[in-house]
Amino acid sequence: MNRSDPVDTKRVGVEIEAKAENRRRQDQEIARLEREVAQVWADISPARNSPETASDENPLLDQIANQAALDPHVPIGSRRGLRSIKWAIRKLTYWYIRFLSDQFNVFAGMLVRHLRNLETRLGRLEDAAGYPVAQSVPAGFGILDNPPEPSATVVSHVAGFASSGPCLVISGGEGDIVEAIGNRGVLSHGVEQEPDRVLAGLKRQLDIRTGDVLAHLLDAEDESFGTIVLTGVVETLPLANLLEMVDQASRKLDKTGRIIVAVADPASRGRVDAELGSGLGISPITWRHLLQGIGFDARLEPCPDSRIAEIVVAQRATKQSDP
């Protein structure tokens, strides 16, 4: 590149952020530290509708901006003897304290400004990560309510079908499936896109991580899981995302891995959910068809639950030709 050519700072910035985010997802030490921070936050955070939360009207950055100031003019009092001594001490140290306080005030102001810019940039990145119109995303994408937490019956059945570990649960929700599989001696963790749901699991010392479920699956190492459970948010994703998820799940499973799909049939939705969710989610029998198409021995297992009547259990075929 010619030195006279202008540098595309936006493109370079996006590339750096993408590499940093990729390293954040793959580095186990960073992931451990993030879980510890999230655990502490879950322990000290107030309930969603508590009076403490309701009374906090000012944004955090505004509170920091109001408190980010130091006054070098310390009081000297009114007593004559002590006043003179304090005045002399303040005079001698004034220049030094003023120098430090000015630096701190500038640093605090720049830090708050940087955080505000970062907040704006994150908002733009989230908007840019949305789906373009050209992909023909269903109009109801992002509007349909998230599926409820799985019932005890579904949790028990899914845990019973789980094979060897490690196990990945997408999406983790409040952690019932992660906990049930872990109680069977299988190392497991979940990924959940809704931060409010993650807190409930973290308070129970469960390994549930926040973030985009498909991105987490993409960043995982190939053949790193023995079992992958697909449930929760997968009921509200477009077909293109589900096809990508099936492909990536197949790559991330070991040679004897198993995929378990616990979703409700879209045909059983109510009138409003059916219209909002048109084109979102697929039925268990369609899941079985997709998994059989990529070389899995998939079957439908009955489940006595009011929402999820069938669970798809897919095992790698014993004879699978390499692509």
Side-chain angles (χ1 to χ4, degrees):
M1 181 179 67
N2 194 334
R3 292 186 178 181
S4 60
D5 295 339
V7 178
D8 189 350
T9 56
K10 291 184 178 180
R11 181 182 62 82
V12 174
V14 170
E15 291 178 353
I16 294 175
E17 290 176 357
K19 291 180 179 178
E21 178 66 16
N22 186 49
R23 181 179 177 185
R24 183 187 71 82
R25 293 196 186 103
Q26 294 182 346
D27 195 310
Q28 297 298 324
E29 181 65 18
I30 295 178
R32 183 184 65 81
L33 294 175
E34 286 185 336
R35 291 195 297 272
E36 291 180 357
V37 172
Q39 181 67 57
V40 173
W41 174 251
D43 293 338
I44 66 175
S45 62
R48 191 182 307 177
N49 298 323
S50 66
E52 182 180 352
T53 304
S55 62
D56 187 13
E57 298 178 354
N58 295 326
L60 178 61
L61 292 181
D62 291 339
Q63 297 179 25
I64 295 175
N66 293 334
Q67 297 177 3
L70 286 178
D71 185 6
H73 298 284
V74 295
I76 59 177
S78 58
R79 297 178 61 180
R80 179 172 300 179
L82 292 177
R83 179 183 175 88
S84 301
I85 295 175
K86 290 181 178 180
W87 181 87
I89 294 174
R90 190 178 74 174
K91 195 69 174 178
L92 291 173
T93 58
Y94 172 78
W95 67 271
Y96 180 65
I97 300 299
R98 182 59 183 269
F99 177 73
L100 292 179
S101 64
D102 286 347
Q103 288 188 89
F104 179 83
N105 290 335
V106 171
F107 170 75
M110 293 299 297
L111 180 61
V112 172
R113 181 179 298 179
H114 172 71
L115 291 174
R116 292 188 187 279
N117 292 336
L118 181 61
E119 183 181 24
T120 302
R121 293 177 64 190
L122 287 175
R124 292 174 179 174
L125 287 175
E126 290 176 351
D127 294 339
Y131 295 86
V133 179
Q135 291 184 348
S136 299
V137 174
F141 180 62
I143 300 177
L144 192 66
D145 292 337
N146 290 323
E149 291 295 313
S151 66
T153 302
V154 173
V155 171
S156 176
H157 276 63
V158 170
F161 293 134
S163 182
S164 59
C167 174
L168 171 64
V169 180
I170 296 177
S171 56
E174 295 182 358
D176 292 341
I177 294 180
V178 174
E179 185 176 28
I181 295 177
N183 291 338
R184 298 174 62 89
V186 178
L187 180 64
S188 62
H189 76 274
V191 183
E192 174 57 48
Q193 297 185 160
E194 295 294 330
D196 291 343
R197 290 190 174 185
V198 173
L199 294 178
L202 292 177
K203 290 181 178 180
R204 288 147 54 199
Q205 306 294 323
L206 301 177
D207 186 359
I208 304 179
R209 310 168 190 180
T210 57
D212 182 83
V213 293
L214 184 55
H216 184 87
L217 194 59
L218 286 168
D219 291 337
E221 296 182 1
D222 291 349
E223 300 185 3
S224 57
F225 296 107
T227 304
I228 295 179
V229 178
L230 303 179
T231 186
V233 73
V234 298
E235 294 186 24
T236 63
L237 295 180
L239 180 59
N241 295 70
L242 298 179
L243 292 175
E244 179 68 14
M245 187 169 291
V246 169
D247 177 67
Q248 290 300 321
S250 175
R251 296 173 185 269
K252 308 310 176 182
L253 281 178
D254 60 30
K255 296 181 179 179
T256 60
R258 177 176 294 182
I259 295 177
I260 303 172
V261 185
V263 297
D265 193 334
S268 64
R269 291 171 177 166
R271 178 70 177 271
V272 175
D273 288 343
E275 292 180 352
L276 292 177
S278 177
L280 300 176
I282 55 179
S283 65
I285 193 171
T286 306
W287 275 105
R288 183 185 66 175
H289 175 77
L290 291 178
L291 291 168
Q292 288 176 340
I294 59 174
F296 281 82
D297 289 331
R299 67 184 190 273
L300 294 178
E301 295 288 347
C303 179
D305 180 70
S306 58
R307 287 192 71 253
I308 301 176
E310 294 176 315
I311 295 176
V312 183
V313 181
Q315 186 80 32
R316 282 200 185 276
T318 55
K319 293 182 180 180
Q320 182 177 357
S321 60
D322 294 332

